[in-house]
C-alpha cells in the first residue's frame, strides 16, 4: 500500500461556534487509498472536523483557523465556486442518517444524476446509464426500475447504498463517511462496511471513517486517530493500536468496548470514569479529570503529541510513567 | 398516476359529508331567518290576505314538518334547485351562476398572485434570514397581514387610479367600449389588477411567512447538506431541494384559506364595483332575499371544495410520499 | 417512571426577557394606548362623533377644534376614531372569547377522546372552515337586527375552527403525557383531567391563538361595518372608512385615518402574538445545537 502521497492534509484546523471552540487544532494526513478511522465519543468534534473539510458546517459553526490542503489547494479559504468543483468530485460525503439525507420528493436516480451532471458534461442518456451502473455496483437489484423510485420506497440499508452510489458517482479520491452505519441494523452494518471497503480498493479511494464503533475500526481501517475534546489523543496503525494503546483514554475506550465484543455504543463510553468535561477555558489535559494516571503536571498545559513508534503518536505527558506502571502489573484489568 | 387518482377519489368521498353538513346548516339558517318565502312574496306584491298566504305556504310545502322540509330541501339542492329569487324574479341558480364566474376570476387571480408572490417573498426572507432584507420584508408582510382588504383597496385606488391613473378604479370592463380580441383581454386584465392586489395582500403575507418558516426548516435538513456535498450550485439547491419541499406545507395551508379568500372577495368586490357575488349578496341582504343568500353560501362552499380538490391534486404532484 | 417525569411541564411565559425587544415593547404600548383610548373615550374626545359640529370637509390640522378634520356632514373625525375604537375592540374581544370557548370545547373533546368523536368534530370544523367566512357572517347577520352582540356572535361562529385545530393538537399531544397518564392511573374523573390537568398546559398556546382571533375579529368587524351591516347608531372604524368611501378621490383622509388606526391596532396585536408564539415554541429559538 502506498503511503507516500497525502490526499488530504489538515493543518492545525480549528472549528467552533461563536464563543466555543470545538475542534482545537488538529493535524491529520490521509494518504492515497488509505482508510483512516477518526474515533471519539459524541461531542468530541469528530463530525465537525469531517464537515469542515468540505465547508458543510452547521449554521453558526465556522473554521476559525488552520488549513485543509487538498490537491495543493486550501479548502478552508478556497472561493465557493472552486470548492464546488471539488465537492462530490474529488471529495465525497456520506452522512449518518440515510432516512433524512436523501431528498424525499425527488427520485433517487435523479439525485445520483445530479452529482454526475454538476461535474461532467455527458448526454442525458449516458448519465442515466451511469446511474444504473452505479446502482448495480452498490448492489441494488433492478437498478433500472429502482432509479425512478423515491427514498420512501427503500429500507434504511438500501438508502445508505443509494447514498454510497451517489458519493462514488464521480470516482472521488477521498470519501468522508460520517458514522455511515450507526442508524442501521447490525446485520446491515457489516454489509454496508463490506461494500465500502470493496469500493475503496476497487476505485483506489481513500476513506475517512468517522465512527464511535471500535469494532468497525478494528476490522476495516488501516489507521486510527482517537479524538478527545477537540484534539487528537492518539494516532496509530491499526494492529499495534489494538494490542497496546498508549494513551490512557484509548486504553479506557478499548477496555470498555471489548466486554461486549463488536457492539459498542456511546453509552459504553461513560464507563470511563466521569463524562466529557466541558472543556471551555480549562488549561491542562482535557482528559485529566477522568484519567486514572493524572498527575499535577497534567493540569498545567495541554500535552503535545509525541512519537511513540514510527507512525504512532500520542498526546500524554505521562506516557513513560504509564508504560512503567503497565509493565509492573501483568495486565491492565479488563 | 394511479395513486393520484385514488387520492382524489378519497378527497371526493370526504367532501360528501362536508357538503351534507353545509346543506344542513343552511337549512337551519333559513329557518332561523325572520320571515319565509311567502312573507317575502307578500311583501313584494304589497298585500295578501292571511288565507292566501296560508294557501301559498301549503303549495310551497312550508306547513310540512321540519324533517319533510329538510328532505325536500336536500332533494332540491341535489337537483340544483336552490329556490326562486323574489327580488330578481328568477331561479336562484341562474341569478348566482350569472355572477359566479366574475367572483371566481377575481378569487383565482388573487389566489395565484398571493401564492406566487408569497412564495417568492418568503423564499427571499429565508435566504436573507436575520439580515436586513428579511427584517424589511417581514415587517412589510406583517403590515399587509394587519390591514383590512377593503382599506387596502381604497388606498390603492387613491394612489394607482386617482393620482397615477394607471388602472381603472372599478368595474370589470370599460362600460360601453365594444372591444375585441387582445384589446378586450387587456381591458379585462387592467380592471382585474387592483382588486386582485387588494384581495391578495393579506394572503400573500400569510404565504410569505409560511414559506419563510418552511424554507428555514427545510434548509436545516440533512438532504440539503447532501446536495451541497455534490457540488450543486446554491441556487439549484435553494429551488430544487429547498423550495420544492417547502411548497408542500405552504400549498396545504393555502387550501385551508380558500373559504376566507372567497369571503374576502365579497368585500373587495363592493369596493371595486366588481359584478360578482359580493354585490349580489349585498342586494339580496337588503331585499331580505334569503333563498339567494343561502344559495350563495352553498354554491361558494361547493366552489371552495372544488378548488380544494385541485389543491389536493397539486400536493400529490409535489409529494411522492402521498402518492404511494 | 421517575418522579421527575411526573412534574407537570407548565410552560412559563418569560415576559421580562421578551420585553427587551423594542418592537414587542412598542406593540404592547400601542395596544395598551388603544385600550385606554376606548375606555376613556368620553374624556379624550368629549364631542359626540355623530354630531355635526363643524364645517364639512375640513382637512386634518386645518382647524384646531377638529384636529383630524371633518366629514361631509361636519362630524369630527378625531372623535369618530376615538369613539370608534370602542365598538371595534368590543366586537374583536367578545368574538375572540366566543370563538375561544367554542373552539376549545370542540378541539379539546376531539383531541382528548379521539376515535369517531374526533372524526365527527373535525368534520364539523371542516364544514365551518369551508364556508366562506365573510358570507357566513353576512348570512348570520340576516337573522336579526344588526347589533354589537349579534356581530360578535357571528364572527365568533365563523372564526372558531382555527382555535379548534390548535386545541385538538395540544390535547392530542398532552393526552399521552406522563402526568396525564399518572392522573388516569390515580383514577381522576375525565372531566377533572381535561379541565385541571390538560387545559392549564394547553392554555398558553390557546391564548396566543386567541390573540390572532382578536386581530381577525377586529378585521372582520371593520369589514362588517364597512359594508354598512353594523349598528347604524354606533360609530366604528369600519363604518368611518365606509363613510369616507364616497369622497375617496378628494377627501381620502376620511378613509385613510380610521384605516390606519385599524392597521396599527391589528399590527400591534399580531406582533404581540408572534413574539408570544416564539416564546412558547422553543424550536423556533433553538437552532441546531
Amino acid at each position: 500500500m502506498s503511503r507516500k502521497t497525502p490526499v488530504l492534509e489538515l493543518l492545525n484546523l480549528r472549528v467552533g461556534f461563536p464563543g466555543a471552540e470545538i475542534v482545537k487544532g488538529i493535524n491529520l494526513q490521509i494518504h492515497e487509498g488509505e482508510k483512516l478511522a477518526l474515533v471519539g465519543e459524541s461531542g468530541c468534534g469528530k463530525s465537525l472536523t469531517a464537515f469542515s473539510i468540505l465547508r458543510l458546517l452547521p449554521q453558526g459553526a465556522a473554521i476559525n483557523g488552520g488549513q485543509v490542503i487538498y490537491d495543493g489547494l486550501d479548502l478552508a479559504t478556497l472561493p465557493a465556486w472552486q470548492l464546488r468543483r471539488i465537492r462530490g468530485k474529488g471529495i465525497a460525503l456520506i452522512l449518518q442518517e440515510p432516512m433524512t439525507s436523501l431528498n424525499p420528493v425527488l427520485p433517487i436516480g435523479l439525485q445520483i444524476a445530479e452529482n454526475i451532471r454538476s461535474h461532467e458534461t455527458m448526454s442525458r442518456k449516458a448519465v442515466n446509464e451511469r446511474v444504473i451502473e452505479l446502482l448495480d455496483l452498490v448492489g441494488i437489484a433492478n437498478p433500472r426500475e429502482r432509479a425512478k423510485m423515491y427514498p420512501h420506497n427503500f429500507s434504511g440499508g438500501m438508502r445508505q447504498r443509494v447514498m454510497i452510489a451517489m458519493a462514488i458517482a464521480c470516482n472521488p479520491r477521498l470519501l468522508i463517511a460520517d458514522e455511515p452505519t450507526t442508524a442501521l441494523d447490525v446485520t446491515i452494518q457489516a454489509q454496508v462496511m463490506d461494500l465500502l471497503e470493496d469500493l475503496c480498493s476497487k476505485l483506489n479511494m481513500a476513506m475517512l471513517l468517522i465512527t464511535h464503533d471500535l469494532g468497525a475500526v478494528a476490522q476495516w481501517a488501516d489507521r486510527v486517530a482517537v479524538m478527545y475534546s477537540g484534539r487528537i489523543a492518539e494516532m496509530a496503525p491499526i494492529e499495534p493500536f489494538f494490542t497496546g494503546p498508549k494513551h490512557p483514554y484509548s486504553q479506557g475506550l478499548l477496555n470498555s468496548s471489548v466486554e461486549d465484543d463488536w457492539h459498542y455504543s456511546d453509552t459504553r463510553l461513560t464507563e470511563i470514569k466521569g463524562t466529557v468535561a466541558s472543556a471551555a477555558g480549562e488549561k491542562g489535559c482535557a482528559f485529566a479529570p477522568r484519567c486514572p494516571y493524572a498527575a499535577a503536571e497534567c493540569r498545567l498545559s495541554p500535552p503535545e503529541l509525541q512519537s511513540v513508534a514510527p507512525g504512532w503518536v500520542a498526546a500524554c505527558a505521562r506516557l513513560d510513567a504509564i508504560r512503567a506502571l503497565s509493565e509492573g502489573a501483568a495486565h491492565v484489568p479488563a | 398516476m394511479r395513486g393520484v387518482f385514488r387520492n382524489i377519489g378519497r378527497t371526493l368521498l370526504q367532501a360528501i359529508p362536508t357538503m351534507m353538513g353545509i346543506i344542513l346548516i343552511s337549512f337551519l339558517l333559513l329557518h332561523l331567518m325572520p320571515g319565509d318565502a311567502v312573507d317575502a312574496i307578500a311583501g313584494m306584491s304589497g298585500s295578501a290576505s292571511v288565507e292566501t298566504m296560508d294557501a301559498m305556504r301549503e303549495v310551497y310545502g312550508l306547513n310540512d314538518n321540519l324533517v319533510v322540509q329538510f328532505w325536500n330541501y336536500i332533494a332540491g339542492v341535489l337537483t340544483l334547485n336552490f329556490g326562486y329569487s323574489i327580488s330578481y324574479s328568477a331561479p336562484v341558480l341562474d341569478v348566482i351562476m350569472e355572477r359566479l364566474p366574475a367572483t371566481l376570476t377575481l378569487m383565482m387571480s388573487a389566489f395565484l398572485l398571493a401564492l406566487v408572490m408569497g412564495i417568492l417573498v418568503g423564499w427571499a426572507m429565508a435566504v436573507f434570514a436575520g439580515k436586513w432584507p428579511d427584517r424589511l420584508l417581514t415587517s412589510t408582510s406583517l403590515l399587509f397581514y394587519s390591514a383590512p382588504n377593503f382599506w387596502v383597496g381604497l388606498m390603492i385606488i387613491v394612489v394607482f387610479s386617482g393620482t397615477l391613473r394607471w388602472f381603472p378604479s372599478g368595474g370589470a370592463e370599460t362600460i360601453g367600449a365594444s372591444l375585441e380580441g387582445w384589446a378586450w383581454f387587456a381591458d379585462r386584465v387592467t380592471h382585474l389588477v387592483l382588486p386582485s392586489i387588494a384581495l391578495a395582500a393579506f394572503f400573500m403575507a400569510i404565504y410569505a411567512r409560511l414559506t419563510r418558516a418552511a424554507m428555514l426548516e427545510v434548509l436545516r435538513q440533512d438532504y440539503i447538506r447532501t446536495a451541497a456535498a455534490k457540488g450543486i450550485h446554491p441556487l439549484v439547491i435553494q429551488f430544487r431541494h429547498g423550495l420544492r419541499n417547502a411548497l408542500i406545507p405552504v400549498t396545504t395551508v393555502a387550501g385551508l384559506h380558500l373559504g376566507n379568500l372567497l369571503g374576502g372577495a365579497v368585500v373587495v368586490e363592493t369596493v371595486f364595483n366588481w359584478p360578482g357575488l359580493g354585490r349580489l349578496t349585498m342586494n339580496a341582504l337588503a331585499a331580505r332575499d334569503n333563498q339567494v343568500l343561502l344559495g350563495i353560501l352553498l354554491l361558494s362552499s361547493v366552489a371552495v371544495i372544488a378548488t380544494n380538490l385541485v389543491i389536493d391534486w397539486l400536493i400529490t404532484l409535489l409529494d411522492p410520499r402521498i402518492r404511494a | 417512571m421517575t418522579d421527575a417525569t411526573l412534574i407537570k411541564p407548565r410552560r412559563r411565559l418569560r415576559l421580562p426577557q421578551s420585553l427587551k425587544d423594542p418592537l414587542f415593547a412598542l406593540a404592547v404600548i400601542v395596544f395598551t394606548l388603544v385600550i385606554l383610548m376606548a375606555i376613556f373615550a368620553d374624556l379624550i374626545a368629549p364631542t359626540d362623533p355623530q354630531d355635526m359640529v363643524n364645517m364639512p370637509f375640513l382637512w386634518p390640522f386645518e382647524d384646531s377644534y377638529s384636529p383630524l378634520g371633518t366629514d361631509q356632514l361636519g362630524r369630527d373625525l378625531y372623535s369618530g376614531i376615538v369613539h370608534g375604537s370602542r365598538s371595534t375592540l368590543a366586537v374583536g374581544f367578545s368574538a375572540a372569547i366566543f370563538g375561544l370557548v367554542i373552539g376549545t370545547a370542540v378541539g379539546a373533546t376531539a383531541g382528548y377522546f379521539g376515535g369517531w368523536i374526533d372524526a365527527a368534530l373535525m368534520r364539523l370544523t371542516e364544514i365551518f372552515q369551508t364556508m366562506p367566512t365573510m358570507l357566513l357572517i353576512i348570512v348570520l347577520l340576516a337573522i336579526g337586527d344588526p347589533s354589537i352582540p349579534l356581530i360578535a356572535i357571528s364572527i365568533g361562529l365563523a372564526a372558531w375552527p382555527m382555535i379548534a385545530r390548535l386545541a385538538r393538537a395540544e390535547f392530542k399531544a398532552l393526552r399521552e403525557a406522563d402526568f396525564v397518564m399518572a392522573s388516569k392511573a390515580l383514577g381522576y374523573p375525565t372531566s377533572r383531567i381535561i379541565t385541571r390537568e390538560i387545559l392549564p398546559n394547553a392554555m398558553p398556546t390557546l391564548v396566543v391563538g386567541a390573540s390572532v382571533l382578536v386581530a381577525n375579529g377586529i378585521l372582520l368587524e371593520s369589514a362588517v361595518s364597512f359594508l354598512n351591516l353594523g349598528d347604524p347608531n354606533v360609530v366604528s372604524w369600519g363604518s368611518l372608512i365606509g363613510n369616507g368611501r364616497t369622497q375617496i378621490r378628494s377627501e381620502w383622509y376620511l378613509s385613510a385615518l380610521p384605516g390606519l388606526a385599524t392597521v396599527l391596532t391589528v399590527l400591534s396585536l399580531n406582533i404581540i402574538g408572534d413574539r408570544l408564539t416564539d416564546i412558547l415554541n422553543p424550536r423556533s429559538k433553538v437552532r441546531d445545537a
Side-chain angles (χ1 to χ4, degrees):
Chain A
M1 186 175 300
S2 95
R3 283 250 174 124
K4 299 287 168 284
T5 26
V7 178
L8 183 84
E9 208 170 354
L10 306 184
L11 296 173
N12 197 24
L13 180 71
R14 293 185 296 119
V15 189
F17 293 92
E21 190 150 88
I22 309 292
V23 179
K24 299 162 188 158
I26 277 199
N27 288 294
L28 203 69
Q29 285 190 337
I30 303 165
H31 302 279
E32 205 80 63
E34 182 193 35
K35 294 185 289 272
L36 172 68
L38 189 57
V39 192
E41 47 203 285
S42 39
C44 74
K46 56 188 196 299
S47 290
L48 224 48
T49 306
F51 291 144
S52 63
I53 293 171
L54 284 174
R55 298 218 309 254
L56 293 169
L57 291 165
Q59 229 181 12
I63 298 179
N64 296 335
Q67 289 177 303
V68 179
I69 305 295
Y70 170 84
D71 213 8
L73 301 166
D74 178 13
L75 302 189
T77 54
L78 202 65
W81 65 273
Q82 271 183 303
L83 182 66
R84 276 207 302 280
R85 295 210 296 224
I86 291 164
R87 286 177 176 173
K89 167 84 177 158
I91 304 176
L93 178 70
I94 297 176
L95 297 175
Q96 175 175 7
E97 189 56 72
M99 303 311 261
T100 57
S101 47
L102 288 167
N103 190 331
V105 302
L106 299 177
I108 57 134
L110 187 145
Q111 298 190 52
I112 298 172
E114 262 189 328
N115 195 10
I116 306 170
R117 264 189 262 139
S118 56
H119 297 291
E120 345 237 329
T121 16
M122 280 164 115
S123 72
R124 184 172 287 268
K125 202 170 170 241
V127 171
N128 285 346
E129 285 309 310
R130 173 77 180 137
V131 167
I132 286 153
E133 187 190 315
L134 284 163
L135 285 175
D136 192 49
L137 191 64
V138 297
I140 287 177
N142 297 327
R144 208 166 282 276
E145 288 78 51
R146 287 301 188 93
K148 290 176 206 137
M149 292 182 154
Y150 293 88
H152 68 266
N153 302 119
F154 292 82
S155 67
M158 283 294 148
R159 284 187 203 197
Q160 201 60 301
R161 281 169 193 269
V162 172
M163 279 297 291
I164 293 171
M166 191 187 294
I168 62 166
C170 296
N171 290 324
R173 287 168 65 200
L174 171 67
L175 180 67
I176 302 169
D178 180 28
E179 313 227 10
T181 59
T182 311
L184 305 176
D185 288 347
V186 183
T187 47
I188 315 274
Q189 282 182 4
Q191 289 173 13
V192 169
M193 284 314 298
D194 280 339
L195 175 68
L196 279 173
E197 187 185 36
D198 187 39
L199 289 169
C200 276
S201 57
K202 256 190 208 159
L203 306 169
N204 191 31
M205 179 170 67
M207 178 159 78
L208 176 62
L209 176 70
I210 316 292
T211 184
H212 57 241
D213 183 349
L214 275 182
V217 173
Q219 207 166 340
W220 283 290
D222 301 324
R223 216 149 56 89
V224 59
V226 178
M227 250 182 110
Y228 187 80
S229 184
R231 290 197 175 85
I232 302 254
E234 186 168 7
M235 186 148 51
I238 208 76
E239 280 112 47
F241 176 81
F242 274 90
T243 45
K246 299 295 181 219
H247 195 283
Y249 175 61
S250 313
Q251 292 172 355
L253 271 185
L254 234 55
N255 279 341
S256 56
S257 72
V258 281
E259 290 163 29
D260 126 292
D261 251 13
W262 300 119
H263 312 312
Y264 168 88
S265 66
D266 262 346
T267 51
R268 285 265 152 218
L269 281 165
T270 55
E271 288 185 8
I272 303 177
K273 192 179 75 189
T275 50
V276 185
S278 150
E282 86 184 43
K283 271 188 188 161
C285 173
F287 188 59
R290 296 166 76 186
C291 182
Y293 308 107
E297 56 181 312
C298 295
R299 304 187 198 273
L300 294 176
S301 64
E304 299 287 319
L305 280 170
Q306 327 171 14
S307 181
V308 182
W312 190 344
V313 289
C316 179
R318 288 176 52 81
L319 280 179
D320 296 331
I322 295 167
R323 190 178 307 133
L325 275 171
S326 57
E327 273 159 14
H331 272 292
V332 181
Chain B
M1 234 20 202
R2 212 181 67 227
V4 176
F5 286 119
R6 192 172 52 213
N7 207 47
I8 288 179
R10 196 169 54 217
T11 325
L12 260 176
L13 232 75
Q14 279 172 349
I16 292 173
T18 309
M19 204 54 238
M20 295 304 286
I22 292 173
I23 294 173
L24 175 63
I25 287 175
S26 37
F27 173 76
L28 292 177
L29 285 174
L30 186 64
H31 280 267
L32 277 172
M33 287 177 177
D36 56 23
V38 172
D39 287 326
I41 294 169
M44 294 292 285
S45 60
S47 63
S49 67
V50 180
E51 290 77 36
T52 353
M53 283 175 72
D54 207 48
M56 279 170 78
R57 284 207 170 86
E58 198 59 46
V59 173
Y60 283 103
L62 292 175
N63 288 339
D64 299 334
N65 71 40
L66 277 183
V67 179
V68 176
Q69 283 196 45
F70 182 53
W71 184 249
N72 292 334
Y73 189 76
I74 291 181
V77 168
L78 290 182
T79 53
L80 291 179
N81 174 12
F82 295 94
Y84 192 80
S85 161
I86 301 129
S87 52
Y88 287 87
S89 307
V92 168
L93 184 68
D94 296 357
V95 175
I96 293 174
M97 287 317 276
E98 202 179 311
R99 287 157 181 86
L100 188 64
T103 295
L104 287 184
T105 310
L106 174 60
M107 182 184 147
M108 286 323 289
S109 71
F111 183 62
L112 290 178
L113 182 71
L115 205 56
V116 172
M117 287 300 293
I119 287 168
L120 285 178
V121 169
W123 173 72
M125 275 150 73
V127 169
F128 294 106
K131 305 201 181 76
W132 69 264
D134 173 35
R135 260 179 264 143
L136 181 76
L137 289 171
T138 305
S139 329
T140 317
S141 59
L142 204 56
L143 198 69
F144 280 149
Y145 184 59
S146 309
N149 53 19
F150 56 90
W151 184 71
V152 173
L154 288 172
M155 293 302 110
I156 58 178
I157 285 177
V158 170
V159 177
F160 293 102
S161 178
T163 311
L164 296 172
R165 302 197 174 277
W166 286 356
F167 298 102
S169 66
E173 59 194 327
T174 310
I175 309 286
S178 48
L179 299 167
E180 270 175 39
W182 267 109
W184 172 84
F185 184 74
D187 181 56
R188 298 299 293 249
V189 170
T190 49
H191 280 85
L192 193 56
V193 172
L194 291 188
S196 299
I197 292 175
L199 182 54
F202 177 83
F203 296 94
M204 189 185 80
I206 296 182
Y207 303 149
R209 285 153 59 90
L210 264 171
T211 308
R212 179 184 185 274
M215 270 301 273
L216 288 179
E217 176 71 32
V218 167
L219 290 179
R220 273 204 290 270
Q221 300 296 313
D222 282 346
Y223 54 78
I224 296 297
R225 182 177 281 162
T226 309
K230 287 188 272 193
I232 303 173
H233 195 277
L235 271 178
V236 179
I237 298 178
Q238 294 277 347
F239 276 99
R240 191 188 293 159
H241 292 273
L243 201 54
R244 184 63 216 278
N245 279 285
L247 281 183
I248 297 168
V250 176
T251 318
T252 310
V253 174
L256 290 176
H257 286 145
L258 283 168
N260 286 338
L261 192 72
L262 213 152
V266 169
V267 186
V268 170
E269 277 179 15
T270 60
V271 175
F272 288 91
N273 288 316
W274 191 260
L277 290 182
R279 223 203 288 168
L280 181 66
T281 309
M282 300 314 294
N283 292 344
L285 191 65
R288 293 222 166 260
D289 201 339
N290 297 344
Q291 303 269 5
V292 172
L293 275 182
L294 288 170
I296 292 172
L297 186 64
L298 266 176
L299 276 176
S300 53
S301 302
V302 173
V304 170
I305 290 174
T307 340
N308 253 322
L309 282 177
V310 177
I311 296 229
D312 271 8
W313 173 72
L314 272 177
I315 291 170
T316 50
L317 284 188
L318 284 172
D319 192 352
R321 284 163 293 188
I322 298 175
R323 253 178 275 162
Chain C
M1 200 186 285
T2 60
D3 286 343
T5 59
L6 279 173
I7 296 168
K8 295 177 193 178
R10 286 230 170 130
R11 285 167 295 191
R12 246 183 246 119
L13 292 174
R14 282 160 300 158
L15 274 176
Q17 191 201 341
S18 56
L19 268 173
K20 284 177 192 156
D21 178 4
L23 195 63
F24 180 78
L26 192 69
V28 172
I29 291 170
V30 168
F31 193 63
T32 316
L33 286 179
V34 172
I35 289 178
L36 289 176
M37 180 168 93
I39 294 173
F40 300 110
D42 292 327
L43 291 173
I44 302 169
T47 326
D48 189 322
Q50 307 266 46
D51 280 355
M52 299 170 230
V53 290
N54 214 327
M55 308 241 304
F57 295 134
L58 282 175
W59 275 70
F61 315 119
E62 204 178 343
D63 183 299
S64 62
Y65 185 68
S66 302
L68 294 182
T70 54
D71 70 357
Q72 68 271 34
L73 296 176
R75 292 177 294 198
D76 184 33
L77 185 59
Y78 166 72
S79 169
I81 290 176
V82 171
H83 285 267
S85 64
R86 282 189 164 176
S87 61
T88 304
L89 286 182
V91 171
F93 272 103
S94 39
I97 291 168
F98 192 59
L100 186 66
V101 171
I102 305 180
T104 307
V106 171
T109 317
Y112 185 82
F113 292 103
W116 67 267
I117 297 179
D118 181 29
L121 287 176
M122 277 301 106
R123 195 42 42 83
L124 184 73
T125 312
E126 206 183 303
I127 289 167
F128 274 87
Q129 211 152 26
T130 304
M131 289 190 283
T133 318
M134 201 56 218
L135 277 176
L136 181 61
I137 293 171
I138 292 173
V139 170
L140 286 168
L141 286 175
I143 293 175
D145 289 326
S147 65
I148 287 182
L150 181 67
I151 295 172
I153 288 172
S154 306
I155 294 175
L157 259 181
W160 62 266
M162 182 208 109
I163 294 288
R165 283 179 187 274
L166 267 181
R168 175 177 177 261
E170 283 287 304
F171 270 73
K172 221 175 164 170
L174 288 169
R175 181 178 65 176
E176 311 294 341
D178 287 332
F179 69 89
V180 176
M181 293 299 188
S183 317
K184 274 187 194 164
L186 289 172
Y188 287 163
T190 309
S191 60
R192 191 203 143 114
I193 293 175
I194 290 179
T195 53
R196 294 280 195 80
E197 308 289 329
I198 304 183
L199 195 59
N201 283 290
M203 221 50 212
T205 311
L206 296 177
V207 168
V208 172
S211 77
V212 179
L213 217 54
V214 176
N216 257 332
I218 291 176
L219 288 179
L220 287 169
E221 188 278 338
S222 66
V224 165
S225 41
F226 171 77
L227 292 175
N228 248 331
L229 303 176
D231 188 336
N233 302 314
V234 176
V235 176
S236 93
W237 289 342
S239 66
L240 288 172
I241 300 173
N243 177 49
R245 211 190 131 192
T246 38
Q247 290 81 233
I248 190 68
R249 295 242 176 195
S250 42
E251 280 77 27
W252 51 266
Y253 63 90
L254 286 177
S255 289
L257 294 179
L260 220 52
T262 317
V263 173
L264 270 179
T265 310
V266 176
L267 186 63
S268 60
L269 256 172
N270 280 330
I271 290 172
I272 293 169
D274 258 21
R275 295 304 141 104
L276 292 182
T277 315
D278 281 352
I279 297 167
L280 288 178
N281 181 6
R283 225 177 134 194
S284 59
K285 290 211 125 184
V286 185
R287 299 265 176 258
D288 313 71

